[in-house]
Amino acid sequence: MNTTRQGLLIVISGPSGVGKGTVTKEFLSRNTNAELSVSATTRARRPQEIEGVNYFFKTQEEFKRMIDNDEFLEYMQVFGMNFYGTPRAFVEEKLAQGRDIVLEIDVNGAMKVKKAYPEAVTIFIAPPTMSDIKSRLYGRGTENESAIDRRYREAFEEMQYIRKYDYVVVNDIIDRAVKAVCSIAEAEKSKVSRNNDLIQYYDEELKSND
Amino acid sequence: MNTTRQGLLIVISGPSGVGKGTVTKEFLSRNTNAELSVSATTRARRPQEIEGVNYFFKTQEEFKRMIDNDEFLEYMQVFGMNFYGTPRAFVEEKLAQGRDIVLEIDVNGAMKVKKAYPEAVTIFIAPPTMSDIKSRLYGRGTENESAIDRRYREAFEEMQYIRKYDYVVVNDIIDRAVKAVCSIAEAEKSKVSRNNDLIQYYDEELKSND
């Protein structure tokens, strides 16, 4: 039983202001076998950013060629400008090495990934209540009222997708939410459907004892 | 959101000698919301046993009437003598109260429970290797060789059922196996399919904000 076991592809979504970034970061810090996926983007590299660590930086032509070659698990264009996408090859190589890969993406991206890769584990981070979202968005104090209103309307729309996810984790207490995500990752590894190699190993042992 | 949430029905199986009793006991000691189901039986009560705690003691007639009335999630007769069964009413009442109920039963019982109650979470406790089972059975030193051989053959047959379970947990290191079972129970509670009340609550909050 020394075959490398396929890693998990974990998709984390949730509305703006729900704290999914904090949950993801804390999950990664408690799971050394898990890492965040590196996206490709057409936006300009900022001084402190490192190619292949923060992003894979691409020109518009390169990105479009990758789209044509079906090299993305999902991608999106923000406000008709820059592209962002999850490179299929990067994810598949890591999974084959047994690493768990986390994608923190929006509901549309999540649905595309689940379609392309049905074994993906999709987790929706939800607020205790919707008014909680509103106060968190206002509490940030970094945006004007119309930007907050837009985010709040988007949050409403994202919430309609919960039923399409595998799991829903309420982020009421951050430590509890992170533990729930850790449990989901651990439990998924025990699923019979993810343990074909193990079961085949027993089958062979059983046969050789007949 | 003060509705009582339905408890989990957790079915634990595994071959003789795999240590599933120890895993179950340790799981229960770490989860105060979980308890072992109380079986009904026709066998005689032993002096230290308490009705409703260790077993529900029934006469053969009572037990057969319960079978006729479909009052068991599963039952079996051991060597054409005593009956043992899981009373449906007991389990359903506890689940409705939000308690998690653990059934430690054989593969045939587990298949019946999963059919009667598809939301049940079925976990197969598996040995690191089959030869490990053999040494554990011999190591007990409480049975003669033919009884051990019979248990070993039964273990082989039980192993054929792994694919019909939801999860497989290898009991190589007991603490690791218990943690896996704890994670499975926690993760199952985050499944979208088990959180209809929560999602309906969001739906209503979303509607009232339109």
Side-chain angles (χ1 to χ4, degrees), chain B residues 78-133:
Chain B
V78 179
F79 305 130
M81 290 180 55
N82 287 313
F83 285 95
Y84 292 84
T86 303
R88 188 189 295 271
F90 172 84
V91 170
E92 287 179 352
E93 273 164 34
K94 292 283 185 179
L95 295 177
Q97 288 161 20
R99 302 281 294 164
D100 299 328
I101 296 297
V102 178
L103 301 180
E104 195 192 315
I105 50 179
D106 76 346
V107 291
N108 294 309
M111 296 303 105
K112 286 180 205 157
V113 169
K114 188 73 181 178
K115 205 175 166 189
Y117 197 87
E119 312 94 295
V121 181
T122 55
I123 304 173
F124 194 96
I125 309 291
T129 63
M130 284 307 291
S131 48
D132 184 78
I133 283 280

Side-chain angles (χ1 to χ4, degrees), chain A residues 126-131 156 159-160 162-163 165-170 179-180 183-184 186-187 190-192 195 198-199 201-203 205-206 209, chain B residues 126-131 156 159-160 162-163 165-170 179-180 183-184 186-187 190-192 195 198-199 201-203 205-206 209:
Chain A
T129 65
M130 282 309 289
S131 48
F156 262 63
M159 291 294 284
Q160 316 284 346
I162 297 184
R163 283 201 171 78
Y165 280 73
D166 298 320
Y167 298 94
V168 54
V169 169
V170 177
K179 274 188 188 143
S183 291
I184 290 166
E186 200 188 339
S190 295
K191 275 205 173 160
V192 162
N195 281 279
L198 174 72
I199 297 170
Y201 169 82
Y202 292 134
D203 283 349
E205 212 184 353
L206 295 173
N209 263 273
Chain B
T129 63
M130 284 307 291
S131 48
F156 262 65
M159 292 292 286
Q160 316 285 344
I162 297 184
R163 285 203 170 77
Y165 281 72
D166 298 319
Y167 297 94
V168 54
V169 169
V170 177
K179 274 188 188 143
S183 291
I184 290 166
E186 200 189 339
S190 295
K191 274 204 173 161
V192 162
N195 282 279
L198 173 72
I199 297 169
Y201 169 83
Y202 292 134
D203 283 349
E205 213 187 352
L206 295 174
N209 264 273

